[in-house]
Each structure stands twice: as C-alpha cells, then as structure tokens.
Amino acid sequence: MTARDHHALDLRRRHPVTKLAGVTLVVVMALVVVRWWVLVLVLTAMLALAALQPRPGAVPAPVRTVAAAALPLGLLGGLLQLLVGADPGTAAQLAARLGLLTAAGVLFGLVTPAIDLMTAAAQLHLDPRIGYVLAGAVALLPRMRERARAVVDAQQARGLGLRGGPVRRWRSLVSLTGPLLLAVFVENEERAAALATRGFPGSGRFVPYRSVPFTAVDATACGLIGSALVVVVLLGVLGALG
Amino acid sequence: MSASSPENPGSVADQVLVGTGVATVVTTYLTLVLWRPGGLDALAGPAAALALVGNLTGAVLLLLGTVRRLPTSTLVLIPSAIAVNVVVGQLVAVVGLPLYLDSIGTIAVAVLGGPAAGMATGILANLVWGVTLAPVAVPFSVSAATIGALAGLAARLGAFRRIWLAPLAGLLTGAVAALVSAPVAAFVFGGVTGGGASALVAAFRALGSSLLTATTLQGLLQDPLDKAITFTVAALALSGLPARLWRRFPFARRYATLPTTDRRSRAVSPPR
C-alpha cells in the first residue's frame, strides 16, 4: 500500500458527507443482506479499516473501541436468538447485523470531530440551529461530566450517602440532579443572552468561519459508495441477496 | 420567528414538515403492526428496512419542522439538556438504581419550552447519543420525540404543578413510548438492545410470544415505570428552580407549568 493510499483511507481527512454515505451503505447492507457470512466479511473489513486509523493522543486505538462496542452486542444478540430456538444461520445474521450497525456508528463518531460535522452542515445550508445543537451537545458532554463529578463530591461532603435502600438511593439521585439542573439554567441564561446579542440564528445565509474541503478523493469515494448502494438495493429488490 | 411566542406555529412549510413526519411515523407503525411479519423471518425481509427508514425519515421531518419554531432561550437549553440526559444516566449507575432515567433533560426542556421543544430535544439527543456513545439509540429517535412531545403536553395540562400528577403522566408517556419503540426493537435489532431488556425479550420469546409481541410486552413492563420515576425526579428537580429562571421561557410563563408560591405572578392569559 502506498502512502497516498493510506492517506485516502485516513477517515479523519474525509468529508463528513463521504463518511455519512459510507455509514448509509453499511446500514443498508446490514438490513438487506441475508447471508450471514457476507455480513461477517463486511464487519471484518470495517474492523480492518478501523485498524488503519491513526490513534489520536492517549485515547485507545479506534479498532479497540469499535470492537469493544460492536462484538459484545453482536454476540449477545446471536446467543439470545439461539436460546429461543432460532436456527444458527438466523442467529449469526442478527449477530452480524448488530455488530455492523454498532461498528458503523462508533467508527463514524470516532473519526468525525463535532466541529467538522457542524461546518459540513453549514456548507450544505442545513439550518444553523441544528448544527449549533449537535456541536454544542458534543462539546458540553465532557464539561457536564466534570460538573456531575463535582456535584457528587460536594453532596457527599455534606453527608449524602450513595448506598442503602431504593428510597435512599432515589433521594440521593434527586439531590444530585437538582444542583446539576440549576447550574445548567444559570449557564443557559448567559449563553442565550450572548447568542441573542450576536443575532443568532439570523435571517441570512450562515457563512461558516472554517471549511471542510470536499476533495477529489471524497468525490471518487462518494461515486463508488453510491454505485455500491444502487447495486445492493437492486439485488435486494430482485431477491438475489436472500 | 417571534422569540416571545410560547408556541410559535411556524410557517406553512414547517407545518407541512411536521404533518408529513407524523404521517410517516404513523404509517410505518401501522404497516408493521397490521402486517406483523412473522417471527425471526422478519429479520430477513423488508420489515427491518421499513422500521428503520420510516422512523428515521419521520424523525428528521419532525426535527426540521419543529426546530425553527423555538425561541433562542429554549434552543440554547437543548445542548445542555442532551448532556444532562447522558450524565444523569451515568449518575444513576453511580447511585446504583436499576433504571435508565436517560430523558430527564428532554423532559425539562419540554416542561419549559413545550411539546415542540421536547420533540426536537428527544430527536437530537438520540442523534448525539448515537454518534458519540451508543449507535443503537439513533433508530429510537421517534420514541424520544414521543416522550418529549407528551411531556410538553402534560406540562401544559399542569402535570408538573402538582408533584403527584407527574408519575401518572410518566406512566402514560412510558406506555405510549413502549408501543412506538416495539417495532424498531423487534425488526431492526431482533429484540436485542442490550442490558436486561434483551433478557426480558428472550424470556417472552421462550414463552411462545412473537418477536413483536415480546418487544411490546418488554417495553410495557419497563418503560412506564422508568418514565414515572423520570417524570417525578424531573418535577422535583425543576420545582426547586427559582421562578425568575423558569419564567424566562415563554411556554412555561404562559401556562405556569411549574409550581410557584406567588400566585399573583402566575401567568393567567388563556390559551389562544
């Protein structure tokens, strides 16, 4: 494999639209293809693709994250079907389907920064409100986790017990949720005022500050994925995948 | 868009989008329930594709039709509410309760912003959850939208003003959400959505139920209880908010969705 090929397979460099097209193809295959071994082959190819992705910083390698999410759910699905008397082929089909659906979603999330998704949405003239909410939620998650930890620590310092009977645990949950919601509303006030001052969402066309390039590699990939999608759907309609 | 209108009906295009979205979801549901593809064979047929595509298309149409109606104060709350959904789900694990409670943020937005805001939050929450933590959540966007819409409706009717009404509203919402989720759980995931739910589906299957019946029964056993508790926790947490915070939301102000000790300052204007 040449360095250029490797560059083409680095999914972080691909446009979000290309990646969404890929996810769509995988989802359609997972739902339309009946032969379990075909689905297992596609799942293996996805894991191989995940293995080719560079590991950003100190986080686990993408292939480990994808495998850790997809394989247990797939195996659980297959085992449960066997337990209720399904034939091994159907159980394997469901296992592979669950694995594929999960792997596609997890890999997309790992290789698509929220800011790229928001920029791509703006480039496609999607309502800026949707882009704001999607990117805002992804960006807020780590901060909210930190805040939740701080609330738990503070309440425990005041004597809140997290163990005991169901009623006590339920009370503890209310004691933790209240301060968390209060902090959200206080922050929300400031953010709403800041956005209103800037005229968000505005009535004109939203021009993103940065851009995500749609390269020739993306165009080629989208063409190939689109063609594959047509073939899979046609074969499915003709019953050739059954 | 008027930021002061509590329930901006939106443009004709928005109303068409919402109407088409609702029609798509209802048609998908009725087709799957009336057609009732048989057992595990359904996994191989078009039922899975119909359940996934029909519900996702409906969710996207509902989202596009509702998000433009929301005032900025409500819109800004949605990302935080989505993060609250995820984090409270993790707090539940810390406390050790065998529940989901993963829609408290959605319900909070619905109580303050109304059914449209709740619906949009539910859909967006599942999309964000899907691309960050659990891809399984994406096809259940319509269920989350249903929870948000019904929570908003319950708030408008006063279910969050009296604490004992909140669990009742939660029970009803949970039952409807269970019915909406069942075809997706059955035909897209074969009844396997992780955790104890999968074991319950397997138990019902072992007792001779069809796949759709098993996922429906599992949902009806778990969701009403979960939503009753979620609604109660949300009502308790929101009732502690200072009135000056929640009165900034036009819907909450107009319908006085939360309890207040100062009766004179309650909104009294009748619904249009």
Side-chain angles (χ1 to χ4, degrees):
Chain A
M1 178 180 286
T2 65
R4 187 179 170 146
D5 291 337
H6 198 279
H7 179 276
L9 292 174
D10 181 355
L11 295 179
R12 282 189 173 266
R13 293 173 186 269
R14 300 280 63 83
H15 194 275
V17 169
T18 310
K19 288 181 267 192
L20 272 178
V23 170
T24 307
L25 176 62
V26 171
V27 169
V28 169
M29 287 188 80
L31 296 176
V32 172
V33 176
V34 177
R35 295 190 179 104
W36 65 268
W37 56 268
V38 177
L39 296 177
V40 171
L41 278 179
V42 179
L43 180 58
T44 309
M46 284 204 67
L47 289 173
L49 188 60
L52 288 174
Q53 303 309 307
R55 179 178 165 175
V59 298
V63 66
R64 282 182 61 185
T65 310
V66 173
L71 298 182
L73 190 66
L75 289 174
L76 174 69
L79 278 174
L80 284 177
Q81 296 303 329
L82 286 175
L83 282 176
V84 297
D87 65 89
T90 306
Q93 183 207 341
L94 181 74
R97 174 193 285 181
L98 289 172
L100 258 184
L101 292 175
T102 311
V106 171
L107 187 57
F108 177 80
L110 285 176
V111 298
T112 312
I115 186 71
D116 280 5
L117 203 57
M118 188 178 174
T119 307
Q123 286 173 334
L124 291 169
H125 306 303
L126 193 74
D127 196 310
R129 298 172 187 87
I130 295 175
Y132 167 77
V133 171
L134 289 176
V138 174
L140 272 175
L141 261 175
R143 277 177 56 195
M144 198 66 77
R145 282 202 187 102
E146 274 177 30
R147 171 153 297 146
R149 255 195 301 274
V151 169
V152 170
D153 290 344
Q155 296 291 57
Q156 278 186 311
R158 293 184 181 102
L160 180 80
L162 299 179
R163 294 288 170 259
V167 175
R168 187 169 178 193
R169 286 171 193 243
W170 188 75
R171 278 187 185 159
S172 304
L173 186 67
V174 175
S175 304
L176 297 174
T177 313
L180 195 66
L181 280 180
L182 183 63
V184 163
F185 284 110
V186 171
E187 262 190 13
N188 182 63
E189 259 190 323
E190 295 164 8
R191 212 175 296 129
L195 279 176
T197 308
R198 289 166 175 79
F200 184 84
S203 52
R205 180 171 283 185
F206 182 67
V207 181
Y209 178 67
R210 62 194 288 276
S211 67
V212 184
F214 190 80
T215 63
V217 176
D218 286 304
T220 309
C222 280
L224 290 173
I225 291 169
S227 308
L229 200 56
V230 171
V231 170
V232 170
V233 170
L234 277 178
L235 289 175
V237 170
L238 295 171
L241 299 171
Chain B
M1 185 181 72
S2 165
S4 62
S5 169
E7 286 190 321
N8 188 342
S11 64
V12 175
D14 289 342
Q15 290 178 17
V16 170
L17 282 171
V18 171
T20 315
V22 171
T24 307
V25 171
V26 171
T27 307
T28 303
Y29 182 79
L30 289 178
T31 306
L32 287 169
V33 171
L34 296 175
W35 172 25
R36 296 178 78 89
L40 289 169
D41 295 341
L43 294 176
L50 177 64
L52 185 68
V53 175
N55 280 306
L56 270 184
T57 307
V60 170
L61 291 170
L62 287 170
L63 176 64
L64 294 175
T66 51
V67 81
R68 275 195 291 247
R69 304 174 177 201
L70 305 179
T72 306
S73 58
T74 307
L75 188 77
V76 172
L77 188 59
I78 294 178
S80 310
I82 293 171
V84 165
N85 280 348
V86 176
V87 170
V88 171
Q90 290 168 345
L91 281 181
V92 169
V94 169
V95 175
L97 286 170
L99 299 161
Y100 305 126
L101 301 192
D102 52 6
S103 48
I104 285 185
T106 304
I107 293 162
V109 172
V111 172
L112 299 169
M119 195 184 281
T121 308
I123 295 167
L124 287 164
N126 276 38
L127 292 181
V128 170
W129 212 321
V131 296
T132 53
L133 293 168
V136 171
V138 175
F140 291 102
S141 302
V142 168
S143 312
T146 307
I147 292 165
L150 291 180
L153 207 61
R156 185 174 166 166
L157 295 172
F160 289 84
R161 275 199 298 268
R162 292 177 185 84
I163 197 68
W164 57 272
L165 283 175
L168 295 178
L171 276 175
L172 278 175
T173 303
V176 177
L179 294 176
V180 174
S181 306
V184 178
F187 301 126
V188 178
F189 296 107
V192 182
T193 49
S198 312
L200 270 177
V201 172
F204 284 122
R205 292 276 298 145
L207 290 172
S209 303
S210 73
L211 193 55
L212 182 60
T213 308
T215 52
T216 305
L217 289 174
Q218 172 269 320
L220 287 174
L221 262 183
Q222 280 196 309
D223 286 1
L225 179 66
D226 182 68
K227 294 301 168 289
I229 294 174
T230 307
F231 272 53
T232 310
V233 173
L236 285 171
L238 288 171
S239 65
L241 286 181
R244 70 169 185 84
L245 283 182
W246 64 259
R247 283 210 183 102
R248 289 182 186 275
F249 296 89
F251 175 85
R253 190 171 59 239
R254 181 171 190 192
Y255 294 105
T257 54
L258 289 170
T260 172
T261 50
D262 182 5
R263 289 183 178 275
R264 280 175 305 172
S265 61
R266 274 189 182 176
V268 290
S269 56
R272 273 181 286 185

